[in-house]
Structures are given as structure tokens and as C-alpha cells.
Amino acid sequence: MAVVVILTVTLNAALDVTYRVDALRPGGTHRVEDVHTRPGGKGVNVADVLTQLGEQVVATGFAGPQLRALLPGFVPIAAESRRTVAVLAGAEATLFNEPGPVISAGEWTALLSEFDRLAADADVVVLSGRLPGVAPDAYAQLITRCPAPVILDAEGDCLRHGIAAGPTLIKPNQDELAGLLGRESGHPADLAAELGVNVAATLGSDGAVLSTADGVWRSRPPRAVTGNPTGAGDAFTAALAVGLARGRSWPQILADAVALSAAAVAVPVAGAFDAAMYREFTDLVTVVKD
Ligand SMILES: O=P(O)(O)OC[C@H]1O[C@](O)(CO)[C@@H](O)[C@H]1O
């Protein structure tokens, strides 16, 4: 198989802390049964999934003093990176994502030159996650200077700015889709038409829809998977990146993304997936024109 290089950018990397409790009781004291920590943030998770798929991946972003040892290639910053906390109670995950550090002008300049160096050799670039304390057009700046196709997974203002800069594909979830459309319900194809961008939307139990200028497709996993959905969106993004980098057809890309994200739900931590389930679902997942 030809080697392709995927660059992931995590501007707001985090120490992801996962607590397992028997039940979540607001106002109560919880005896944590199990604690798991790992470097996270959406782009880091995407990179972890790509590595497990055997793809060549380069990851960059900002890392504060404590996170630097875990993310050695990242651009160092003076302030500490954030933490995120996921509390798992049975099949339900409750997330607390800190805002993240303020980035100085010099640190941003250092990131831009690192990005230029790495993006020059990338087949696809993934920009994902909430921004730390940088300008809201930070993703737009990266997209504008990027020579490779870009997948953008973000929300709010930075997503709107980013879309205006012309990414190849955006990956909203249901809430982000509603936010962009300015109404509770709407079809990803409405958004693709309104904004002139390819949209791969994850819609929970309604599966996923890919809307492009070439067509609109919907896909669902062959059966519901229980587990921890945290990070399933990052597995979805990882599959989109592989598909784009390898020049696969849109329906193939969507089917692979649905199979991989379902297999990620089966594994309790973000950035990992159940390889056997992924293989099984790859053969069984359905894609229909929507
Ligand atoms: O950048 P955010 O949107 O706050 O999301 C970050 C968090 O989301 C996850 O990537 C899961 O998608 C966690 O690992 C955590 O780091």
C-alpha cells in the first residue's frame, strides 16, 4: 500500500482524565473505581487511531510544561495545557472540558512555522478541537496557508471562520450542525448547499450523512454498539482522513468512517477502537443515497 502522510493539529491538547464510577449523582461524593489518564484533545485522538490503522501520521499542536513529555513533538508553551475529565457511569459518559491556556504571539508564530514545515509534506491535514486562547480565526489562518486538503472538526465561531477559508470537508455533530444552520433540525445537505462545503455529519442514532457536490449518502453501523462514545467522532475523522489521502470514493469513505467510529464506541478510552469489530463492520455497514 502506498505511504500517505496525515498531519493532525491539536491547538488545545489536554491531559484526558477518565473516572469510572458506579453512578453519577449531582451533589454527591463519588468513590472513583478506576482512573485512566492519557494525552488527548481531538487531534491527538485522531493521530492515535491512525497509528493503530498503520498509517503514517505526524501530530503537532501546543503543549504546556506537564504535557510536553507526553507530546514531545508539540510546540512548547509557557502556560499549562488543560485537562478534560470524563466520568463514566455504566454506558453514560459525562464530560468536563477545561477552556485551555492563553497562547502568546510568539508561540503562535512558532506554531505557524512548524505547521508550514509539516503541512508541506502532508497528503491530508486534520484540524480539530476547541481553540485555546488564540484568535477565533486561527483555523482559518491555517487553512489559508495549507497546501494539502483540510478536514476541519470544530464548533462555534472558529468553525464559521474556518469554513470561510475553504476546508475540503467539515465534520459537525448534530449540535454543531444545528448551530451552523441556526435551527434545531436540518439536513447536512442544506448546510453543504448554504456554505458551499463538503459536510460529513455524525447524527447519533440516525447514523452519518456525507453531503458533497457529487452526491449525498447516509450510512449506519449494522447494529448498535454500547460503550463509551467519547472519541468515536475522532475515529470517524481519522477514517475520513485516510479515505481522502488514499483517494477513495465518497461512499467508501463514509462507510469506513461509520465502521471505525462504531468500533471506537466499544473501547472505553478515546483514541482506540476494537479491531475485530472494525473488520466485521467494514463488510456489513450499509451506505444508501440520501
Ligand atoms: O477540544 P474539545 O472539543 O474540548 O474536545 C476535547 C476532548 O474531546 C475528546 O477528544 C473526545 O472527542 C477528548 O479526548 C477530549 O480531549
Side-chain angles (χ1 to χ4, degrees):
M1 212 163 44
V3 174
V4 293
V5 178
I6 296 164
L7 170 65
T8 72
V9 180
T10 314
L11 296 180
N12 208 352
L15 185 70
D16 278 357
V17 181
T18 304
Y19 290 150
R20 181 175 289 285
V21 297
D22 59 346
L24 191 60
R25 294 171 298 274
T29 298
H30 296 80
R31 306 291 170 207
V32 176
E33 292 164 7
D34 185 51
V35 184
H36 185 271
T37 57
R38 59 178 288 279
K42 294 196 187 311
V44 172
N45 299 339
V46 172
D48 285 350
V49 170
L50 290 168
T51 302
Q52 284 169 67
L53 288 171
E55 300 291 348
Q56 193 164 326
V57 56
V58 179
T60 192
F62 292 117
Q66 285 180 24
L67 206 53
R68 213 167 294 153
L70 300 171
L71 298 170
F74 278 42
V75 173
I77 51 172
E80 285 297 354
S81 296
R82 64 179 172 157
R83 285 157 304 174
T84 73
V85 178
V87 181
L88 293 186
E92 195 176 60
T94 305
L95 306 181
F96 301 85
N97 292 356
E98 294 180 6
V102 172
I103 306 300
S104 72
E107 290 163 349
W108 179 245
T109 304
L111 186 284
L112 289 179
S113 51
E114 181 67 348
F115 179 80
D116 289 345
R117 187 178 75 78
L118 298 173
D121 294 328
D123 294 284
V124 166
V125 172
V126 176
L127 307 176
S128 54
R130 177 182 188 172
L131 289 181
V134 290
D137 71 344
Y139 282 142
Q141 291 183 45
L142 296 179
I143 292 166
T144 302
R145 62 203 292 141
C146 186
V150 174
I151 299 173
L152 177 62
D153 177 13
E155 59 183 70
D157 269 2
C158 68
L159 175 56
R160 282 190 196 87
H161 282 292
I163 291 170
T168 306
L169 185 58
I170 62 168
K171 190 219 78 77
N173 61 24
Q174 224 150 8
D175 290 344
E176 291 151 4
L177 182 68
L180 284 170
L181 284 168
R183 53 183 186 268
E184 282 276 303
S185 65
H187 195 283
D190 301 341
L191 188 68
E194 270 176 38
L195 300 178
V197 64
N198 297 318
V199 178
T202 51
L203 304 175
S205 57
D206 286 335
V209 169
L210 177 59
S211 180
T212 74
D214 303 327
V216 184
W217 297 270
R218 185 180 292 263
S219 177
R220 287 189 172 84
R223 62 171 187 274
V225 179
T226 52
N228 178 11
T230 315
D234 302 326
F236 189 90
T237 305
L240 298 177
V242 174
L244 276 186
R246 297 202 170 281
R248 293 179 181 147
S249 71
W250 287 121
Q252 266 183 314
I253 292 175
L254 179 62
D256 194 41
V258 166
L260 192 58
S261 60
V265 174
V267 175
V269 290
F273 62 92
D274 181 322
M277 186 179 283
Y278 173 48
R279 278 193 299 276
E280 182 201 341
F281 280 15
T282 298
D283 295 334
L284 298 177
V285 77
T286 55
V287 181
V288 291
K289 281 214 164 222
D290 205 46

